[in-house]
Amino acid sequence: MDQEAKRALLHKDRQRVWHPFTQMKDYALQDHLLIEKAEGIYLYDADGNRYYDTVSSWWVNVHGHGHSRIKQAIARQLDETDHIMFSGFTHRPAIELADKLIDIAPCGLGKVFYSDNGSTAVEVALKMSFQYWRHVGKPAKSKFAYLENSYHGDTLGAVSVGGVDLFHSTFKPLLFDGYRLPSPLVSEWSDGRPTPEAAESSVAEALEAVRRLFESSAAEIAGLIVEPMIQAAGGMLMHPAAYVTGLRELCTRYEVHLIADEVAVGFGRTGTMFACEHAGISPDLLCLSKGLTAGMMPLAVTLCTDTIYEAFYDDYETLKTFFHGHSFTGNPLACAVALESLRIFEEESVLEHVGNVSSALREQIRRFEAFSHIAGIRQLGMVAAFELYEDAGSRRSYPFAERRGYRLYLEALKEGLILRPLGDTLYYWLPHCTSTAQLEDIVDRTCTVLERLGYR
Amino acid sequence: MDQEAKRALLHKDRQRVWHPFTQMKDYALQDHLLIEKAEGIYLYDADGNRYYDTVSSWWVNVHGHGHSRIKQAIARQLDETDHIMFSGFTHRPAIELADKLIDIAPCGLGKVFYSDNGSTAVEVALKMSFQYWRHVGKPAKSKFAYLENSYHGDTLGAVSVGGVDLFHSTFKPLLFDGYRLPSPLVSEWSDGRPTPEAAESSVAEALEAVRRLFESSAAEIAGLIVEPMIQAAGGMLMHPAAYVTGLRELCTRYEVHLIADEVAVGFGRTGTMFACEHAGISPDLLCLSKGLTAGMMPLAVTLCTDTIYEAFYDDYETLKTFFHGHSFTGNPLACAVALESLRIFEEESVLEHVGNVSSALREQIRRFEAFSHIAGIRQLGMVAAFELYEDAGSRRSYPFAERRGYRLYLEALKEGLILRPLGDTLYYWLPHCTSTAQLEDIVDRTCTVLERLGYR
Ligand SMILES: Cc1ncc(COP(=O)(O)O)c(C=O)c1O
Ligand SMILES: Cc1ncc(COP(=O)(O)O)c(C=O)c1O
């Protein structure tokens, strides 16, 4: 793109676009990065500079950008139908996708409800759970339990079960009340692994808090929502699978729905197709989005058990209908893309490749141990994270106003690396197409930037 | 499609898919209509039967299904970039679309915030308005006023400002409180027009209710949200432009944000590009979705004034960031489609055509006056509606359990017509590509069905 066209676009961007989750004043003196091309793990800006998309474009991209099979799937679908309403009508892509998802999802999930994004998948789960208890004669079960540091989206229902105060506290007067539970293992990581004892005791403590809450209040609790294995937006906080197994047991024992929000971790990101597999459990409700369409376009699903479905199944006059729907529910284009993505998973042995790259990632991130201002190095599947500390030994953070993570991010861009910060937590959230050579290059570049900024 | 393939798909549909806004038991003995092809105003089922899509696939389709320019736009965009994250990054389709939208939107709206669907566009508007008043030192302005019979989506924030009890009352314990206002002119239509006196007095009454509320409580009210000109899901209730003008005056006088939800009525459906144009006013926040992508795929925007934007623009440390975002914010594919749709509007004089077809529609629906069980015949732009009554003179409804609207819908399918019911309200919500010949055929078929079911 020539410089004038670039300047004109960036001028309009500044004049007319309000970016998400962005303090726009941060871009008063600095441009948003104008992306012109995307291919595989790479993004290219308007000057032709290349960047590693190590965060899979906000955790959505799966098989790399511009995948030819995905493009073909879109073209094929466009020759059949574009969008068709999904109430009274149905179509092949949505049916086949639902069928496929139930085949691969943790067992016991029998029905698929479509919506548009991660937030709506969560809203659907909350509303289904809430209404379910009314239909089975336990309307007092109307509240939700959720975790500290959890993030489930930005619509107000999803915000109500969010546990990141920076994002959520402003809207308090618009939120419904719930029970906030401690999250396990927030700061017990070191050198990529928690000690087994620390992990065990942290899990036990966190589960004990759940047990106490259920013991006193399960009669008022419809469901507990959790991001299994990784609390992502809350800071890439990882917990052992035993925590998820424990939640399942408690939820079953106390008759509380377990709602697994796998919007971020689903579709192989943690090494298994779904994160619940690490724990060998099935939730009552499962929320999926992001990677569902391989990161091409919005689509989401909420899977539920047949038990839940059946509580809504009755004569129309009983008014048990689940009155929820979005205009683009079951969008055929998005469903066709999702189907093709699942075929790629199978036919190209994607999870096997993920296993190999994950092992390499686990090795590679040990290189960060050499940096004295880094701690909490951790990894699961294609995800790895660490924190910057003023004093790593005592876990003393840098002053908030220094915005260390953000400054590292800006510096990394110069190295052709998209290294996203969540405060002073830096992370990779790699697409499955990453090769081990690319991975090494990514870690090399990260070390270069850390070195340059004096974190050694 | 052969019968076996069809049966297999419908079997899977019944087994695994939970359709939106649907009592699934309605489909115990009857199949969902399996659509295999879509072209122009027509849908084709798996047996090759053709149907008029008179509801534009839930009010989203604009230029007809399978439009070649739209297909080409998708293919072109896929060769540049698929999805790119929109925080820290930007791209041409989202910038150009924002620019174009501000050019054509009611004046005074200076910034575009992207999201994924109508519900999120509304959530964004509510949250922006709410947070705005905190930033300008009026945190007491934290509630919202909304109309009886209003529908703004199904996420819990949007449900909180919804006024259709059938959809919304179940979730009451999860909703935030607000002020519900009467909607104007609910039953004052006859023969396609309200009498000028009835319209005037109904508008005056409804506005007086707003004035009284603002007089007593404006200090606690952040915004008033309205579907300008047509309350769609609430029953295709139309009101005169004077009501919208009056709302604008009151909102300005009492310092309350006017939030126009044009998710359904935007993009020419009422005859003008945006419904607010009928009233010659600009809202403080404008929500758009559905027709934005010509009905191809999910995308939404919330436009706001520069005044609102500037209240969030400050140093990061002041924590005034609008912490809202969705993974697929500003999806390049959807933006490219939306841009192409706006080009089609211009280059193919779509609004001019809409003007002609609207006039024909106004004429054609007079034919329903001959049916003694029909009243409330009304029309605006490409939208027309009427009610079925047991006794039209006294406006006595049929018993709820008879589900007259639903039965008419099923009968209309046999006539190749998709005639959607909202209770006993039947309506057309025509795509802009409808020709006058098609329109006549649609009304012919509607009359045939009405006749057959004894509504004469
Ligand atoms: C775990 C989780 N749930 C829900 C969401 C919300 O998804 P969306 O941004 O598509 O609304 C996210 C988004 O990052 C997420 O990480
Ligand atoms: C006026 C209005 N607002 C908001 C919505 C919600 O949009 P969506 O279904 O895309 O969430 C609708 C949907 O019908 C609507 O008619």
Side-chain angles (χ1 to χ4, degrees):
Chain A
M1 192 183 299
D2 71 39
Q3 289 303 308
E4 203 163 323
K6 179 184 150 189
R7 264 197 306 275
L9 277 173
L10 286 169
H11 176 69
K12 280 185 189 169
D13 187 52
R14 197 170 268 125
Q15 248 190 337
R16 304 202 142 174
V17 181
W18 187 344
H19 286 264
F21 264 92
T22 301
Q23 175 45 265
M24 294 300 291
K25 199 176 175 188
D26 283 351
Y27 293 89
L29 300 173
Q30 177 200 330
D31 290 323
H32 272 81
L33 198 60
L34 181 61
I35 300 298
E36 206 179 14
K37 216 179 94 185
E39 218 170 63
I41 194 179
Y42 302 114
L43 304 183
Y44 297 84
D45 71 15
D47 297 320
N49 298 311
R50 197 190 76 176
Y51 303 87
Y52 277 108
D53 185 3
T54 71
V55 296
S56 301
S57 282
W58 260 356
W59 326 340
V60 302
N61 192 278
V62 171
H63 306 300
H65 291 282
H67 199 289
S68 61
R69 287 184 60 171
I70 300 280
K71 285 191 203 178
Q72 285 155 23
I74 294 177
R76 270 199 313 273
Q77 184 55 41
L78 277 172
D79 283 336
E80 281 185 26
T81 68
D82 48 27
H83 186 72
I84 304 297
M85 66 185 292
F86 206 57
S87 181
F89 301 82
T90 193
H91 48 76
R92 184 209 301 265
I95 298 172
E96 290 187 344
L97 178 59
D99 191 48
K100 188 80 201 159
L101 285 172
I102 287 176
D103 282 348
I104 63 173
C107 65
L109 296 164
K111 294 288 181 290
V112 171
F113 193 97
Y114 284 102
S115 67
D116 298 338
N117 62 27
S119 303
T120 58
V122 167
E123 298 259 346
V124 166
L126 298 174
K127 290 172 75 180
M128 271 186 188
S129 172
F130 176 88
Q131 196 171 342
Y132 169 85
W133 293 112
R134 317 225 125 195
H135 291 179
V136 300
K138 300 191 175 174
K141 288 174 84 71
S142 63
K143 298 199 163 154
F144 293 93
Y146 62 94
L147 269 61
E148 188 181 3
N149 303 310
S150 62
Y151 175 83
H152 299 291
D154 284 330
T155 53
L156 288 163
V159 173
S160 296
V161 293
V164 183
D165 286 331
L166 175 65
F167 305 158
H168 303 140
S169 61
T170 309
F171 302 106
K172 195 91 186 105
L174 302 180
L175 310 180
F176 57 77
D177 257 357
Y179 297 102
R180 187 182 292 201
L181 291 159
S183 58
L185 263 192
V186 170
S187 55
E188 292 309 312
W189 291 80
S190 72
D191 306 335
R193 294 280 108 201
T195 64
E197 304 76 41
E200 213 173 292
S201 82
S202 173
V203 164
E205 242 175 73
L207 288 174
E208 176 55 17
V210 178
R211 198 200 55 76
R212 274 199 309 270
L213 171 66
F214 285 3
E215 187 63 41
S216 68
S217 312
E220 292 181 359
I221 301 178
L224 179 152
I225 185 165
V226 65
E227 297 160 85
M229 303 307 291
I230 307 179
Q231 294 191 283
M236 299 297 158
L237 306 169
M238 301 179 186
H239 49 250
Y243 178 66
V244 181
T245 318
L247 287 182
R248 175 69 279 177
E249 283 167 15
L250 290 168
C251 283
T252 304
R253 175 149 27 120
Y254 289 94
E255 276 208 299
V256 169
H257 288 143
L258 178 61
I259 305 172
D261 176 356
E262 295 214 21
V263 166
V265 293
F267 299 101
R269 211 65 71 161
T270 67
T272 52
M273 196 62 172
F274 299 107
C276 283
E277 294 172 32
H278 290 281
I281 63 107
S282 291
D284 300 287
L285 292 142
L286 174 65
C287 307
L288 302 171
S289 186
K290 289 195 189 261
L292 174 58
T293 57
M296 291 302 113
M297 53 179 73
L299 181 71
V301 290
T302 306
L303 278 69
C304 71
T305 61
D306 284 319
T307 309
I308 291 175
Y309 175 82
E310 281 154 18
F312 292 75
Y313 190 92
D314 207 340
D315 294 321
Y316 184 79
E317 296 72 32
T318 62
L319 295 181
K320 290 190 184 160
T321 303
F322 185 55
F323 281 116
H324 188 111
H326 298 280
S327 319
F328 289 100
T329 298
N331 181 253
L333 287 181
C335 289
V337 168
L339 270 169
E340 188 65 17
S341 170
L342 292 178
R343 279 185 213 113
I344 294 171
F345 264 101
E346 273 177 23
E347 294 165 19
E348 302 184 5
S349 308
V350 169
L351 287 183
E352 214 170 287
H353 174 73
V354 162
N356 296 333
V357 183
S358 298
S359 303
L361 178 59
R362 183 153 45 250
E363 277 313 301
Q364 282 290 323
I365 57 173
R366 303 198 61 133
R367 293 166 63 190
F368 301 140
E369 291 170 19
F371 291 85
S372 65
H373 290 278
I374 286 180
I377 303 163
R378 55 201 184 271
Q379 173 270 344
L380 183 69
M382 300 301 277
V383 182
F386 61 82
E387 272 83 36
L388 298 175
Y389 286 105
E390 181 149 14
D391 180 18
S394 67
R395 299 285 203 268
R396 191 176 72 240
S397 299
Y398 288 103
F400 178 76
E402 290 186 10
R403 302 182 74 189
R404 292 283 175 148
Y406 182 63
R407 284 161 58 197
L408 189 76
Y409 163 72
L410 293 179
E411 199 63 31
L413 286 179
K414 299 181 195 155
E415 279 308 308
L417 206 59
I418 295 169
L419 202 57
R420 287 297 288 182
L422 288 161
D424 288 351
T425 300
L426 281 297
Y427 69 88
Y428 303 136
W429 188 283
L430 297 168
H432 300 353
C433 65
T434 313
S435 71
T436 47
Q438 286 169 334
L439 174 67
E440 273 177 47
D441 193 21
I442 287 167
V443 177
D444 282 351
R445 289 166 191 244
T446 308
C447 288
T448 304
V449 177
L450 288 168
E451 200 82 62
R452 191 183 308 150
L453 292 183
Y455 289 110
R456 171 74 71 179
Chain B
M1 191 182 300
D2 70 39
Q3 289 304 306
E4 203 164 323
K6 179 184 149 187
R7 264 197 305 275
L9 278 172
L10 286 169
H11 176 68
K12 280 186 190 167
D13 186 52
R14 197 171 266 122
Q15 249 190 335
R16 303 202 143 174
V17 180
W18 188 343
H19 286 264
F21 264 92
T22 302
Q23 174 45 265
M24 294 301 290
K25 199 175 175 191
D26 283 353
Y27 294 88
L29 300 173
Q30 177 199 332
D31 290 323
H32 272 82
L33 199 60
L34 181 61
I35 300 298
E36 207 180 15
K37 215 180 96 186
E39 217 170 65
I41 194 178
Y42 301 114
L43 304 182
Y44 298 84
D45 72 15
D47 296 320
N49 298 311
R50 196 189 77 176
Y51 304 87
Y52 278 108
D53 185 3
T54 72
V55 296
S56 301
S57 282
W58 261 357
W59 325 341
V60 302
N61 192 277
V62 172
H63 306 300
H65 292 282
H67 198 288
S68 61
R69 287 184 60 172
I70 299 281
K71 287 191 201 178
Q72 284 156 22
I74 294 178
R76 270 199 312 274
Q77 183 56 41
L78 277 171
D79 283 335
E80 281 184 25
T81 67
D82 47 28
H83 186 71
I84 304 299
M85 66 185 292
F86 207 58
S87 180
F89 301 82
T90 193
H91 48 76
R92 184 211 300 266
I95 297 171
E96 289 186 345
L97 178 59
D99 192 47
K100 188 81 200 156
L101 285 172
I102 287 176
D103 282 348
I104 63 173
C107 65
L109 296 164
K111 294 290 182 289
V112 171
F113 193 96
Y114 284 102
S115 68
D116 298 337
N117 62 26
S119 303
T120 58
V122 166
E123 297 260 345
V124 166
L126 298 174
K127 290 172 74 179
M128 271 186 186
S129 173
F130 176 89
Q131 197 172 340
Y132 169 85
W133 293 113
R134 317 225 127 196
H135 291 180
V136 301
K138 300 191 175 175
K141 288 173 84 71
S142 64
K143 297 198 166 154
F144 292 93
Y146 61 94
L147 269 60
E148 189 182 3
N149 302 309
S150 62
Y151 176 81
H152 299 291
D154 285 329
T155 53
L156 288 163
V159 173
S160 296
V161 293
V164 183
D165 285 331
L166 175 65
F167 306 158
H168 302 140
S169 61
T170 308
F171 302 106
K172 194 89 187 109
L174 302 179
L175 309 181
F176 58 76
D177 258 356
Y179 298 101
R180 189 183 290 201
L181 291 160
S183 58
L185 260 193
V186 169
S187 56
E188 292 309 313
W189 291 81
S190 72
D191 306 335
R193 296 278 108 203
T195 63
E197 303 76 41
E200 213 172 291
S201 82
S202 173
V203 165
E205 244 175 72
L207 288 173
E208 176 56 17
V210 178
R211 197 200 57 76
R212 274 198 310 271
L213 172 66
F214 285 3
E215 186 64 40
S216 68
S217 312
E220 292 180 359
I221 300 177
L224 179 152
I225 184 164
V226 65
E227 296 161 85
M229 303 307 292
I230 307 178
Q231 293 191 283
M236 298 298 161
L237 306 169
M238 301 179 185
H239 49 249
Y243 178 66
V244 181
T245 319
L247 287 182
R248 175 67 278 179
E249 283 167 14
L250 289 168
C251 284
T252 303
R253 177 153 23 121
Y254 289 94
E255 276 208 301
V256 169
H257 288 142
L258 178 60
I259 305 172
D261 176 355
E262 295 215 21
V263 165
V265 293
F267 299 102
R269 212 64 71 159
T270 66
T272 51
M273 196 64 171
F274 300 106
C276 283
E277 295 172 31
H278 291 281
I281 64 105
S282 290
D284 300 289
L285 292 142
L286 174 65
C287 306
L288 303 171
S289 185
K290 290 196 188 260
L292 173 58
T293 57
M296 291 302 113
M297 53 180 70
L299 181 71
V301 290
T302 306
L303 277 69
C304 70
T305 60
D306 284 318
T307 309
I308 291 176
Y309 175 83
E310 279 153 18
F312 292 75
Y313 189 93
D314 207 340
D315 294 322
Y316 184 80
E317 295 73 30
T318 61
L319 294 181
K320 289 191 185 158
T321 303
F322 185 56
F323 281 115
H324 188 110
H326 297 281
S327 319
F328 289 100
T329 298
N331 181 252
L333 287 181
C335 289
V337 168
L339 270 169
E340 188 65 16
S341 170
L342 293 178
R343 279 185 213 112
I344 294 170
F345 264 102
E346 273 178 22
E347 292 165 20
E348 302 185 5
S349 309
V350 169
L351 287 183
E352 216 169 286
H353 174 74
V354 162
N356 296 333
V357 183
S358 299
S359 302
L361 179 58
R362 183 154 44 249
E363 278 313 301
Q364 283 289 324
I365 57 172
R366 302 200 61 133
R367 293 164 64 188
F368 301 139
E369 292 171 19
F371 290 84
S372 65
H373 291 278
I374 285 181
I377 303 163
R378 54 201 184 273
Q379 173 271 343
L380 183 68
M382 301 300 278
V383 182
F386 60 84
E387 272 84 35
L388 298 176
Y389 286 106
E390 182 150 13
D391 180 17
S394 69
R395 299 285 204 268
R396 192 176 72 241
S397 300
Y398 287 103
F400 178 76
E402 291 187 10
R403 302 182 72 190
R404 292 282 174 150
Y406 183 63
R407 284 161 59 197
L408 189 77
Y409 162 73
L410 294 179
E411 200 61 32
L413 287 179
K414 299 180 195 158
E415 276 312 306
L417 207 58
I418 295 169
L419 203 57
R420 287 296 287 182
L422 288 160
D424 288 351
T425 300
L426 281 298
Y427 68 88
Y428 303 136
W429 188 283
L430 298 168
H432 300 352
C433 65
T434 313
S435 70
T436 47
Q438 287 169 332
L439 173 66
E440 273 175 47
D441 192 21
I442 288 167
V443 177
D444 282 351
R445 289 166 191 244
T446 307
C447 288
T448 303
V449 178
L450 288 168
E451 201 81 62
R452 189 183 308 150
L453 292 183
Y455 290 109
R456 170 77 69 176

